[in-house]
Amino acid sequence: MLDLLAGFVSQLRRSGIDISLTESLDAARAIEHMDLGDRESFKYALAATLVKDHSHSGAFDTVFDIYFASSAYDPAGDIAGELSELDADQGTQAGSASLGQDSGMNAGQGGNGQSLSPEELIEMIYKALLMDDQEWQRQLTRLAVTAFAGIEKGRPVGGVYYVFRTLRNLNLEALTERLVDARINSKKGEVSGLQAKLISDDVKAKIDAFKKEIESEVRRRLVADRGPEAMAKTLRKPLPEDIDFMHANREELASLKRAIQPLSRKLAVKLARKRRHKKRGPLDFRKTVRHSLSYGGVPAELKFKSPRASKPEIVVLADISGSVASFARFTLQMVHTLGTQFSKVRSFVFVDGVDEVTSLIDGSDDIGEAIYRVNTEADVVWVDGHSDYGHVFETFWEKWGKEITPKTSVIVLGDARNNYHASGAWALGEISRKARHLYWLDPETRSYWDTGDSIIGEYAVHCAGVFECRNLRQLEKFVEQLA
Amino acid sequence: MSDVFASPKDVSRGLEGQSYLSNESIASVVYLAAKLGKPVLVEGPAGTGKTELAKAVASMAGARLIRLQCYEGLDESKALYEWNYKKQLLRIQAQNIAEAEGAEVTWKDIEDDIFSEEFLLERPLLQAIRSEDQVVLLIDEVDRVEIETEALLLEILSEYQVSIPELGTVTASQVPMVFLTSNNMRELSEALKRRCLFLYVDYPELEREKEIIKAKVEGVTDELADQVGRIVRTLRELDLKKHPSVSETLDWARALVLTGIATIDPETAKATLNLLLKYKSDIEKASKELTLSA
């Protein structure tokens, strides 16, 4: 058991969760008190002692599922057995509910499950979901994974691939619609918009639970095939602060969105405190002399001026073309949440034309909507909607160049992929000469810089700093040193 | 005390007796805290009953609840102990009078005297340590104190003792149960987190919320509780500035019961939405999503 725990802990550490020695000792002591037969309470014991940050719980759940699978899947166990079990089960279903018209067909075929067509399987899932029968659903999940995932032994693909394949074949969107319709039709009389919304949310929650079930089923099978060590490596989910902006999938983007709000808030508190506790300012001569009077003219107590909080003025210039849009979004959001920490924040967005969006973002108290408006209302396309940094810098310099002062810090966000247009680096040079600092944040991995049409090197000579900024951790670090 | 904490199930039942409906994770962590003698750090959105949990555990174990409310600028003299210097001054003055009448007292006597128990003002943390009977210590909103002040808690949380330079070390006669709550306003220090068990209290699932509504709101029907629970779940799915908390849900349910509403139709929902949501933009968004305006 202890060996298993040690392996589990080291796997958690590898996915980025810091676990100290005392914490793993606590975990070992905690599980002594728990009923090991009860998987859930065992899990809570480990979670309480090992994971001290809620945003890490997703990573923890994944590793836990890999190491302590709920029921060891037996790959040698024949599918036919599963099926006949299912048929028997469904027989009782048919007995209890009058829904089972066509299930008699399956019962007739006995254990020969291979002849169950995909359509029939989907039909059964639909019914299981409609009747909200947990046990039946679980069995159907196993069946669906067998039928649709097409897992090949020893093939080194990630579990995501199999999950995707299963889900695509099941066509859950259509299933959702059917379920919603069925539920609405079963209600007598008029159905108000409110009720319809509640029903569809209810169905969505069920479908999500079903999806999770499929994911863990796939995981279980892969673990049985390859062993926990290898699986943990492929299935490990990155922590929200480590998610790559440019390659985040929808689920990861959602978790980023959830993470950025508290993160910016914490950062704002931290910066405000730092400012307050900043080292004392220069010697206040007048005050010192006045206080020396009470010591008979000896300046025993030195007085200092309180430091003047110098809040920088920020101009953000963000590329919002497709490839780097989500990166720009998160950076704009973070900078604007920290608005109080800067004396002024102005935001510009560009693709091949450039437009100011400060009022769009400040005028709305919902950042998500503001970003949406930025995408639809800002006039950022000049010719063809492909990034043209050169033209953007020239336009920016012409139109807003005179508003840049020695107090302004200019931050450019983008991957510097210029689609082989003229670089316009001279304009950036002018901006840099006038501004206090010019920083460039590039969401691409450093090794991709200056490859293909990326000309970051040409711009870099004008910048006070060029930073790789691929995830929240790096973004947070940059913003912190900026203020 | 141990009988109430015999197993996670017993804890869960005990909490239910205090009309606090827990779930498995809460019950397991409270059980572990009692078994291992470790403090519990409770985190989660506002209004999910974090403080309530400590109160329920206290009354279930028949222990006294000692509460330390944290705020920015909290220091040793407010959290741990303070010397009652006014009384000390009086004592010294009394001494002077006695001396004038011819009594012989050395400085040592006075020093020993004025730094004794009699002149010590106990603050919540010391109180919890020195208490003879069972106590539950609740350190509320620990994320509000500065990171430097957090260090003050460390000795108490790991060793259950307090060092007072003039008196020596005071060690707890019984290990108190400690709950720290945090709204996640800032990152707590690693040292503090390491010493605690971590419990995240999220918004309850639909079934549990329904049970909570039924337990806490008098005269609510099954159907109404179900509807309230479902609407609140839908609202929490939306991207709002502030999601409705459990206490706001209960307020809403109470208001509906008081006004004699048995089922929620779009009009009532629209009229009473401001009990659940506190921002204008949130209310607008929610009525659009719930298609109340149509």
Side-chain angles (χ1 to χ4, degrees):
Chain A
M1 190 64 212
L2 280 180
D3 281 347
L4 197 59
L5 189 67
F8 179 63
V9 168
S10 76
Q11 203 51 253
L12 281 177
R13 285 196 184 125
R14 233 169 285 163
S15 52
I17 303 174
D18 286 329
I19 295 171
S20 69
L21 186 62
T22 42
E23 281 167 323
S24 56
L25 286 175
D26 282 343
R29 283 204 292 143
I31 54 178
E32 277 174 19
H33 291 284
M34 301 309 277
D35 173 14
L36 291 184
D38 185 352
R39 180 168 179 264
E40 285 298 299
S41 65
F42 178 61
K43 179 175 171 180
Y44 293 133
L46 289 182
T49 45
L50 295 176
V51 184
K52 307 286 168 82
D53 188 332
H54 181 59
S55 66
H56 295 171
S57 66
F60 171 83
D61 286 347
T62 310
V63 179
F64 183 84
D65 275 354
I66 292 168
Y67 264 77
F68 306 100
S70 58
S71 60
Y73 172 71
D74 177 17
D78 58 335
I79 295 152
E82 256 175 52
L83 250 189
S84 62
E85 189 187 319
L86 180 87
D87 280 340
D89 194 66
Q90 210 196 6
T92 59
Q93 290 296 339
S96 60
S98 55
L99 268 158
Q101 288 296 327
D102 52 357
S103 63
M105 177 178 81
N106 289 323
Q109 285 161 355
N112 185 9
Q114 313 301 28
S115 63
L116 194 70
S117 76
E119 288 77 24
E120 283 161 3
L121 185 56
I122 291 175
E123 194 59 33
M124 275 157 71
I125 291 173
Y126 166 68
K127 272 177 198 147
L129 283 170
L130 191 62
M131 292 184 343
D132 202 11
D133 183 330
Q134 304 284 337
E135 188 48 39
W136 194 14
Q137 277 176 37
R138 235 188 314 279
Q139 288 173 353
L140 283 171
T141 339
R142 300 219 306 256
L143 219 54
V145 171
T146 312
F148 295 136
I151 295 180
E152 294 163 44
K153 280 215 172 114
R155 198 173 151 209
V157 275
V160 187
Y161 169 75
Y162 291 126
V163 174
F164 176 72
R165 242 166 80 167
T166 313
L167 293 181
R168 193 190 50 198
N169 278 312
L170 282 174
N171 194 3
L172 287 179
E173 280 78 22
L175 209 57
T176 313
E177 264 174 47
R178 277 182 62 197
L179 280 168
V180 173
D181 285 347
R183 291 272 296 274
I184 289 181
N185 289 337
S186 72
K187 289 240 180 212
K188 289 166 200 81
E190 191 82 2
V191 175
S192 67
L194 174 63
Q195 271 171 323
K197 173 78 185 157
L198 292 184
I199 288 176
S200 85
D201 272 1
D202 201 37
V203 170
K204 259 184 222 141
K206 286 212 181 85
I207 293 274
D208 279 345
F210 187 65
K211 261 191 208 166
K212 287 237 169 65
E213 193 67 36
I214 286 190
E215 265 175 48
S216 63
E217 176 64 29
V218 166
R219 207 148 45 205
R220 242 187 330 263
R221 292 193 188 197
L222 291 180
V223 171
D225 183 20
R226 300 180 203 166
E229 292 287 330
M231 269 331 287
K233 219 176 282 167
T234 57
L235 284 180
R236 198 183 298 146
K237 278 187 191 158
L239 304 179
E241 59 261 40
D242 287 330
I243 292 173
D244 198 322
F245 289 128
M246 289 186 71
H247 305 111
N249 58 31
R250 243 174 67 195
E251 193 188 331
E252 287 173 335
L253 278 181
S255 74
L256 267 179
K257 243 170 90 180
R258 272 197 303 278
I260 194 160
Q261 194 63 34
L263 190 73
S264 328
R265 199 187 53 211
K266 278 184 205 163
L267 194 56
V269 172
K270 196 166 162 189
L271 291 178
R273 285 219 173 118
K274 206 166 100 186
R275 184 154 285 135
R276 223 177 305 150
H277 294 293
K278 223 177 186 170
K279 287 201 195 90
R280 52 200 182 187
L283 183 75
D284 188 337
F285 191 70
R286 257 181 57 136
K287 241 183 176 176
T288 309
V289 169
R290 201 168 57 223
H291 272 264
S292 74
L293 293 180
S294 50
Y295 298 99
V298 183
E301 202 182 341
L302 296 181
K303 292 285 171 186
F304 297 88
K305 284 178 182 149
S306 53
R308 260 199 38 213
S310 71
K311 290 183 171 183
E313 207 178 296
I314 304 282
V315 168
V316 184
L317 201 55
D319 183 354
I320 54 163
S321 66
S323 54
V324 289
S326 57
F327 165 62
R329 184 208 144 104
F330 289 119
T331 311
L332 280 178
Q333 185 171 351
M334 183 173 254
V335 170
H336 275 265
T337 320
L338 292 175
T340 50
Q341 297 306 312
F342 306 115
S343 67
K344 199 174 178 191
V345 180
R346 294 183 70 180
S347 305
F348 297 85
V349 293
F350 65 86
V351 176
D352 55 351
V354 57
D355 196 10
E356 176 161 11
V357 292
T358 315
S359 58
L360 282 185
I361 297 181
D362 282 348
S364 144
D365 53 9
D366 178 4
I367 190 82
E369 197 186 296
I371 301 282
Y372 171 75
R373 284 182 60 195
V374 166
N375 287 336
T376 50
E377 290 174 29
D379 180 21
V380 290
V381 176
W382 175 52
V383 188
D384 56 357
H386 291 295
S387 301
D388 181 351
Y389 285 75
H391 178 253
V392 165
F393 291 142
E394 283 166 27
T395 327
F396 181 78
W397 176 240
E398 261 165 43
K399 268 172 112 170
W400 291 284
K402 51 188 174 301
E403 289 172 45
I404 290 177
T405 68
K407 273 187 182 169
T408 323
S409 290
V410 181
I411 307 167
V412 184
L413 315 174
D415 56 4
R417 296 208 169 269
N418 205 21
N419 297 302
Y420 305 104
H421 294 295
S423 76
W426 66 269
L428 198 66
E430 292 295 323
I431 297 171
S432 160
R433 254 186 293 288
K434 229 179 146 186
R436 188 164 80 137
H437 294 296
L438 173 64
Y439 299 109
W440 192 299
L441 302 186
D442 193 327
E444 277 193 324
T445 318
R446 203 171 271 272
S447 56
Y448 290 153
W449 292 6
D450 285 319
T451 59
D453 56 348
S454 163
I455 48 169
I456 184 115
E458 208 168 315
Y459 294 130
V461 292
H462 299 295
C463 299
V466 182
F467 300 91
E468 179 190 80
C469 194
R470 278 166 39 222
N471 49 40
L472 279 185
R473 207 190 285 273
Q474 289 173 327
L475 180 61
E476 190 191 0
K477 212 168 125 199
F478 170 77
V479 175
E480 197 182 336
Q481 62 102 27
L482 185 70
Chain B
M1 170 147 172
S2 56
D3 46 331
V4 203
F5 297 103
S7 76
K9 289 227 167 50
D10 289 317
V11 173
S12 165
R13 219 168 299 134
L15 286 173
E16 213 176 310
Q18 307 298 326
S19 73
Y20 183 95
L21 298 175
S22 64
N23 60 16
E24 245 185 285
S25 106
I26 294 176
S28 303
V29 174
V30 171
Y31 161 77
L32 271 181
K35 285 283 170 222
L36 299 177
K38 288 201 134 242
V40 184
L41 172 64
V42 193
E43 221 167 65
T48 43
K50 299 189 287 292
T51 308
E52 223 34 60
L53 172 65
K55 288 187 194 163
V57 170
S59 64
M60 144 186 164
R64 189 155 58 99
L65 181 79
I66 296 179
R67 179 170 176 169
L68 173 67
Q69 172 69 49
C70 294
Y71 52 87
E72 228 186 300
L74 180 82
D75 60 1
E76 232 180 4
S77 61
K78 288 281 174 291
L80 260 179
Y81 68 92
E82 200 174 5
W83 290 108
N84 191 345
Y85 75 94
K86 290 174 198 150
K87 208 172 169 188
Q88 285 174 331
L89 281 177
L90 281 176
R91 169 72 184 77
I92 293 169
Q93 270 180 351
Q95 195 65 55
N96 287 342
I97 295 167
E99 242 169 75
E101 284 166 2
E104 189 80 11
V105 189
T106 62
W107 165 246
K108 184 87 178 77
D109 291 336
I110 302 180
E111 194 192 6
D112 283 349
D113 204 22
I114 60 174
F115 289 114
S116 63
E117 298 271 326
E118 197 192 339
F119 298 94
L120 191 67
L121 286 177
E122 280 185 353
R123 301 293 184 208
L125 293 183
L126 188 61
Q127 229 177 352
I129 294 287
R130 301 218 304 178
S131 166
E132 293 292 323
D133 48 343
Q134 266 298 330
V135 291
V136 170
L137 174 63
L138 166 65
I139 303 177
D140 217 357
E141 307 194 11
V142 68
D143 50 336
R144 282 181 189 266
V145 300
E146 286 90 358
I147 208 145
E148 294 80 19
T149 323
E150 242 178 52
L152 204 131
L153 299 172
L154 297 181
E155 189 185 6
I156 296 180
L157 295 183
S158 54
E159 312 289 335
Y160 296 106
Q161 63 178 35
V162 177
S163 302
I164 302 173
E166 295 86 354
L167 282 184
T169 308
V170 182
T171 314
S173 45
Q174 40 82 30
V175 175
M177 276 193 95
V178 185
F179 288 87
L180 300 101
T181 73
S182 155
N183 285 325
N184 213 358
M185 286 288 287
R186 69 171 175 81
E187 206 65 62
L188 297 171
S189 73
E190 285 299 319
L192 184 69
K193 283 185 179 175
R194 209 166 45 228
R195 284 170 173 75
C196 300
L197 298 176
F198 183 77
L199 172 64
Y200 188 84
V201 182
D202 209 342
Y203 295 121
E205 308 86 60
L206 183 59
E207 285 307 316
R208 206 175 123 229
E209 182 141 47
K210 259 162 41 188
E211 292 303 317
I212 294 175
I213 295 173
K214 276 192 270 182
K216 295 268 182 185
V217 181
E218 261 177 62
V220 71
T221 57
D222 262 5
E223 196 196 341
L224 189 64
D226 182 63
Q227 269 193 318
V228 168
R230 276 172 203 277
I231 291 179
V232 169
R233 178 176 69 171
T234 300
L235 287 177
R236 289 200 188 122
E237 288 288 310
L238 298 178
D239 186 15
L240 299 177
K241 274 180 118 168
K242 188 188 168 307
H243 291 133
S245 67
V246 178
S247 45
E248 282 160 333
T249 310
L250 291 177
D251 284 345
W252 192 43
R254 269 189 210 115
L256 292 173
V257 170
L258 281 178
T259 43
I261 291 166
T263 54
I264 304 168
D265 52 39
E267 284 77 47
T268 36
K270 193 176 163 62
T272 52
L273 211 54
N274 53 354
L275 280 170
L276 281 177
L277 302 172
K278 305 291 156 79
Y279 288 95
K280 191 164 157 279
S281 60
D282 280 357
I283 294 179
E284 277 165 11
K285 197 171 195 175
S287 0
K288 203 166 89 194
E289 285 291 329
L290 294 174
T291 56
L292 298 178
S293 41

